[in-house]
Amino acid sequence: MSSRVPMSVASMLTAVPGLLGFVPHRSLVIVAFTDGGERVVATMRHDFARLADGTAHEQMYATLRDLAAIIATYGVTTVAAVIVDDRLRRGDARHREFAHRMHDILAGCGGLHAGYVVETMTEGQRWRTLWGEEARDGDSDQVLGDPFTSPTATRAAVEQGRTVAASRDRVGADLTPDGCACGGYEFDAHGHTETDPVAAVATVMGALDGPVDCATAAAVGRALCDLDIRDALLALAGTTAHRHTAANLWQHIARHSTGTVRASAATMLAHLYYLAGEGAMSGIALDQALAADPDWALARLLDEVLRAGAHPSALWPMLETSADMLALLGVPVEVDAAAALTA
């Protein structure tokens, strides 16, 4: 392909953890670009499964075919892949064999533009180019920068209030119950509560800036399990003014609750991440939501949509409906960020 990776290889590889939200380990990461290679449109990660002899598990190729179908819907012009794996040497022929098959599977998207392998995504690590114009025997003369302070990570911290986690497990740990589950959740949380919706929304909006005590957490948790109130509050994910504080509140409620309340809070967080194009983070939150309540319908729906590879723009139309609902409950908001929330 004539398209190019729009930054130095060192910069792109160092940026991967910032794009994902965490440092990948034993993973296949695909970075897809549009606009002739000028803009990242999707970053996808999958655990790299290997057989006992070190070759890629056949399931990896099935996964690649699924990812290729998703990528094809995004108008992608350039695809780069990064293998992060400390189980084989960077120069192992099995890496190149995998890259060759990956190129064939991605033929419908123009093939694999560039492929790299690095043992760990830590500062000072060298990589090897497996595929592309720069592919050659031997490691790169350059090294990775600090993934926690890369321009991509810094931008995410400033614009989204999100820092890079040291691992995917660490992100999940940020949603782990902290042993101080507040009470007050004994109610039927699969329909509508007896909560006054106007008062409930006012309580949630007041809690956005914290601090949140147990009484407030219980009130917010109850609101998130009333389907009409919850659907209205989804609008906050599309507002510049509230989405960062909403993310912090949903995370707080998830950590301080159990069962369906935890599921709803984690689902709200997953929805917010999804809209921001952070599919990996959304998937982690959905895992937590479905573990807390496998029957929580919105979590199941978002999980299906995410696994199908739907672009975040598929969720944008519902934001206006949610905003209208929220306005009727006394909180007019402007959904002003949808155009900027690209994958």
Side-chain angles (χ1 to χ4, degrees):
M1 296 178 63
S2 60
S3 55
R4 61 184 177 82
V5 174
M7 58 187 82
S8 73
V9 176
S11 296
M12 186 195 75
L13 295 180
T14 302
V16 164
L19 292 170
L20 292 173
F22 55 88
V23 179
H25 176 65
R26 295 184 177 179
S27 300
L28 171 65
V29 180
I30 292 179
V31 185
F33 300 85
T34 59
D35 300 334
E38 294 295 330
R39 183 170 66 92
V40 175
V41 70
T43 308
M44 306 173 177
R45 187 214 69 93
H46 200 278
D47 290 343
F48 202 117
R50 293 192 182 278
L51 299 174
D53 64 0
T55 58
H57 194 287
E58 192 62 31
Q59 182 59 42
M60 291 300 300
Y61 300 110
T63 297
L64 271 173
R65 286 187 284 271
D66 290 341
L67 295 179
I70 293 170
I71 291 170
T73 68
Y74 282 14
V76 167
T77 58
T78 305
V79 180
V82 186
I83 297 172
V84 186
D85 202 333
D86 58 356
R87 292 168 291 185
L88 300 176
R89 293 182 299 105
R90 289 188 293 271
D92 194 293
R94 286 165 287 193
H95 289 313
R96 192 177 296 276
E97 175 188 353
F98 182 78
H100 191 282
R101 290 191 63 179
M102 193 182 337
H103 177 69
D104 292 342
I105 292 171
L106 293 169
C109 309
L112 181 63
H113 176 73
Y116 310 95
V117 60
V118 61
E119 292 172 5
T120 60
M121 302 213 83
T122 52
E123 185 176 12
Q125 279 287 309
R126 297 188 184 278
W127 69 87
R128 180 167 295 209
T129 303
L130 300 173
W131 196 266
E133 296 179 358
E134 298 179 2
R136 59 181 175 82
D137 292 333
D139 292 342
S140 167
D141 294 331
Q142 297 179 296
V143 297
L144 294 184
D146 183 353
F148 298 100
T149 59
S150 72
T152 301
T154 300
R155 185 168 59 252
V158 172
E159 297 179 359
Q160 303 169 26
R162 171 177 62 76
T163 58
V164 175
S167 68
R168 188 177 189 276
D169 290 343
R170 180 62 257 173
V171 178
D174 288 341
L175 288 173
T176 300
D178 68 356
C180 180
C182 298
Y185 298 145
E186 294 77 21
F187 56 90
D188 180 4
H190 281 266
H192 302 280
T193 68
E194 297 301 321
T195 304
D196 173 8
V198 174
V201 167
T203 297
V204 172
M205 298 304 295
L208 288 179
D209 295 319
V212 180
D213 57 22
C214 272
T216 302
V220 173
R222 185 180 293 268
L224 294 184
C225 290
D226 184 296
L227 302 188
D228 288 339
I229 298 173
R230 180 207 65 189
D231 289 350
L233 291 170
L234 289 172
L236 298 180
T239 65
T240 298
H242 301 298
R243 70 176 182 267
H244 298 158
T245 52
N248 291 334
L249 179 59
W250 308 153
Q251 182 181 44
H252 179 88
I253 299 303
R255 293 198 67 198
H256 289 76
S257 59
T258 58
T260 302
V261 176
R262 174 172 165 78
S264 187
T267 302
M268 298 290 284
L269 187 62
H271 170 263
L272 186 147
Y273 283 143
Y274 201 150
L275 276 169
E278 299 187 58
M281 302 285 283
S282 181
I284 293 169
L286 287 172
D287 287 346
Q288 297 288 331
L290 290 169
D293 186 344
D295 295 323
W296 193 239
L298 182 58
R300 294 173 63 182
L301 175 62
L302 285 177
D303 189 58
E304 291 174 3
V305 171
L306 181 63
R307 290 180 186 278
H311 191 275
S313 59
L315 302 182
W316 295 347
M318 69 184 296
L319 288 178
E320 293 291 350
T321 300
S322 293
D324 290 342
M325 295 173 65
L326 197 57
L328 290 174
L329 295 175
V331 182
V333 296
E334 182 179 356
V335 178
D336 56 2
L341 299 180
T342 55

